[in-house]
Amino acid sequence: MNVHEGWYVDYKSAPLKPRDYAKAISAMANTYGGWIFIGIEEKSKDDNVAGSFPGVSEKQVDMVRQQVRQSVKDHLQPSPHFDIRAIGAPDAKSNEKVVCLLVPPSNKAPIIHSDGRIYRRLNDASEPVPETDRSVVDHLLRRDEKIEQLYAKWDDDDPITLSTENELSYIRILMVPDYWEDTYLYLDSHAAELREIMNQTEQGASYGGNFDTIYSQHGGFVCRQINSNNPQLLNYTFKIDRKLRNELILPLDTFRLNSAANRFRDRPVLKELVSFLVNNRYGDCSAIDLGMMFGAIDAAFSIQKKLEEKVGYDGKTHVKLKLCNVWQKIPVLDAPPEKLRWDEFGVPLILSRDITVRPGGSLQSFIEVDLHKRHFGPANPYFGLSILPLISICNALGLNIGELKDLSELVAKLNHLSLDQARR
């Protein structure tokens, strides 16, 4: 190995004291990131390439792994991301390994050690150096600002619609598998492969894909449901980013209340709700049917999970929501007026053109879901996850369904409704 020890590479001839792993990892995370190799000794101080491979015995490898993880857990805040694995040492005995630590530069910097210090890597120094320069610390603090600005900017990047779509309401759903960009995610796929992924209906999922238009675009792909519709209109769209920061754009089902008498024959509870609104002088208003959104969220989660599995990601996914062009509309759902307490508190009329469910770009502005864990059995793997964004959307619009005692009954109705829609 002719790789010199330096900013990005640190050679350790033997396992460290448990507390020192945290220093070495935080120093890499606070600087430029890099590799820490345990079991490699540099050739000399003047020629700091890999000289020999004393390695780590197989019996020690698991202990080193545990000590590294425990050291990070006990001594670093916030915890930086790192990957650890063992490989065979080229010049060592057959049972010797080199333990490799990959530490990316952390966007959560500064990573602070339990001794109160902020460590940084200084070229090829064998020991991490405590940082005392306030300007450098300020620079570290600004790393997370770039991430927040990226997602705050998403809030302002609404699609451009035609003048004929002035009344069209729609929702944008952003799904981010790695908020801090700690792991390297890259979707290396082509359109034909994506078509298969996008149009697979997972067993138990309540909504099919049916994306008939898929094409590449800068940084990723665009998947759309055009069918016989005008392709210039804002149709059901799934925008795929190579880093899997994917976005679903879904036109919402909007209708005039005074012309909806025969619209919901198969949904008696919603029909009752519409009659209540018309009888209370809301007949000239438009309404948004939020019940149809449940299946679309369900499908989006199913697709996102498949894409994440393709790049080897199995962590948490963060979801951001924005409703667009919803001014002067009434949100409706399959729940009777007395359960929504409209007879007691009145009817919610949306008074904002656009509503971001949790404004800003911080991690707290996202809803966290675990797409890789089956929550409610094989009947619908995303049953429990889809209701979390729906509750947030409803609460933002004045439908406080999270307070309903029979929320499970409502969710079962929405799931049944989505399954019916998928069969059609």
Side-chain angles (χ1 to χ4, degrees), residues 170-175 198 200 204-211 225 235-238 247-253 289-305 319 321 371 380 382 385-387 389-390 393 414-422:
Y170 59 94
I171 184 170
R172 301 173 62 204
I173 303 176
L174 177 66
M175 292 165 287
M198 299 299 291
Q200 285 176 350
S206 61
Y207 202 96
N210 301 320
F211 291 94
Q225 282 188 3
N235 297 293
Y236 183 30
T237 302
F238 202 104
E247 179 180 1
L248 173 71
I249 301 174
L250 175 70
L252 298 175
D253 188 13
D289 181 7
L290 298 180
M292 305 306 291
M293 191 189 306
F294 185 82
I297 296 173
D298 190 66
F301 283 174
S302 175
I303 293 169
Q304 182 72 18
K305 178 196 173 188
V319 181
L321 308 160
L371 302 180
N380 184 345
Y382 310 105
L385 297 179
S386 302
I387 196 63
L390 187 61
I393 291 166
L414 296 176
N415 190 48
H416 181 73
L417 172 65
S418 299
L419 287 168
D420 285 345
Q421 184 185 20

Side-chain angles (χ1 to χ4, degrees), residues 12-25 36 38 60 63-72 74-75 101 113 126-128:
K12 304 294 184 186
S13 60
L16 307 177
K17 296 178 182 178
R19 185 185 181 94
D20 290 339
Y21 288 121
K23 289 183 181 180
I25 290 172
I36 302 171
I38 303 169
Q60 284 185 295
M63 180 191 70
V64 170
R65 283 197 183 104
Q66 293 174 12
Q67 287 180 343
V68 168
R69 293 184 179 120
Q70 195 64 41
S71 181
V72 169
D74 292 344
H75 297 293
L101 284 163
H113 195 273
S126 59
E127 289 295 322

Side-chain angles (χ1 to χ4, degrees), residues 120-395:
R120 293 183 68 237
R121 180 122 179 107
L122 186 60
N123 199 359
D124 60 349
S126 59
E127 289 295 322
V129 177
E131 185 55 67
T132 57
D133 188 330
R134 178 54 191 264
S135 65
V136 174
V137 175
D138 288 343
H139 177 75
L140 292 174
L141 288 167
R142 286 195 295 271
R143 279 192 189 176
D144 63 342
E145 293 178 4
K146 295 179 181 178
I147 299 292
E148 291 191 17
Q149 289 169 3
L150 172 68
Y151 295 118
K153 185 179 178 182
W154 173 86
D155 200 354
D156 300 324
D157 193 21
D158 295 331
I160 299 173
T161 56
L162 299 177
S163 58
T164 55
E165 298 178 293
N166 288 337
E167 294 297 316
L168 178 67
S169 300
Y170 59 94
I171 184 170
R172 301 173 62 204
I173 303 176
L174 177 66
M175 292 165 287
V176 178
D178 179 21
Y179 176 87
W180 291 112
E181 299 183 356
D182 285 331
T183 54
Y184 178 76
L185 302 178
Y186 186 81
L187 181 67
D188 187 15
S189 294
H190 48 78
E193 188 177 12
L194 275 180
R195 181 188 293 276
E196 184 178 349
I197 294 174
M198 299 299 291
N199 291 324
Q200 285 176 350
T201 303
E202 185 168 339
Q203 183 178 3
S206 61
Y207 202 96
N210 301 320
F211 291 94
D212 58 345
T213 303
I214 299 177
Y215 53 92
S216 61
Q217 204 169 59
H218 177 69
F221 296 86
V222 175
C223 309
R224 305 183 72 201
Q225 282 188 3
I226 303 296
N227 299 320
S228 58
N229 298 318
N230 183 346
Q232 291 183 302
L233 298 178
L234 187 66
N235 297 293
Y236 183 30
T237 302
F238 202 104
K239 298 168 69 175
I240 297 177
D241 178 75
R242 291 282 188 184
K243 294 182 178 180
L244 294 192
R245 297 177 297 204
N246 300 333
E247 179 180 1
L248 173 71
I249 301 174
L250 175 70
L252 298 175
D253 188 13
T254 306
F255 60 92
R256 285 279 178 181
L257 289 165
N258 54 15
S259 61
N262 298 318
R263 185 183 177 95
F264 303 109
R265 294 177 181 176
D266 299 332
R267 298 167 66 183
V269 176
L270 187 54
K271 186 176 180 180
E272 177 189 350
L273 193 68
V274 170
S275 297
F276 172 86
L277 291 167
V278 172
N279 294 336
N280 283 273
R281 298 179 297 176
Y282 286 93
D284 289 333
C285 293
S286 294
I288 301 174
D289 181 7
L290 298 180
M292 305 306 291
M293 191 189 306
F294 185 82
I297 296 173
D298 190 66
F301 283 174
S302 175
I303 293 169
Q304 182 72 18
K305 178 196 173 188
K306 293 171 192 171
L307 294 172
E308 290 180 5
E309 288 176 340
K310 183 167 178 57
V311 300
Y313 181 80
D314 61 358
K316 301 291 181 65
T317 305
H318 298 90
V319 181
K320 196 166 181 62
L321 308 160
K322 183 177 182 181
L323 294 128
C324 301
N325 204 22
V326 293
W327 180 70
Q328 289 287 300
K329 294 182 175 69
I330 298 171
V332 297
L333 202 58
D334 295 62
E338 65 272 13
K339 294 292 180 62
L340 297 173
R341 302 178 75 179
W342 284 4
D343 52 343
E344 183 179 356
F345 293 105
V347 176
L349 182 69
I350 303 172
L351 299 179
S352 299
R353 182 185 182 278
D354 304 322
I355 297 176
T356 302
V357 172
R358 296 183 185 178
S362 68
L363 183 61
Q364 289 69 36
S365 69
F366 286 77
I367 299 168
E368 184 181 275
V369 296
D370 188 347
L371 302 180
H372 305 278
K373 178 180 178 183
R374 189 174 291 274
H375 293 258
F376 285 86
N380 184 345
Y382 310 105
F383 185 88
L385 297 179
S386 302
I387 196 63
L388 296 176
L390 187 61
I391 289 176
S392 297
I393 291 166
C394 289
N395 288 344

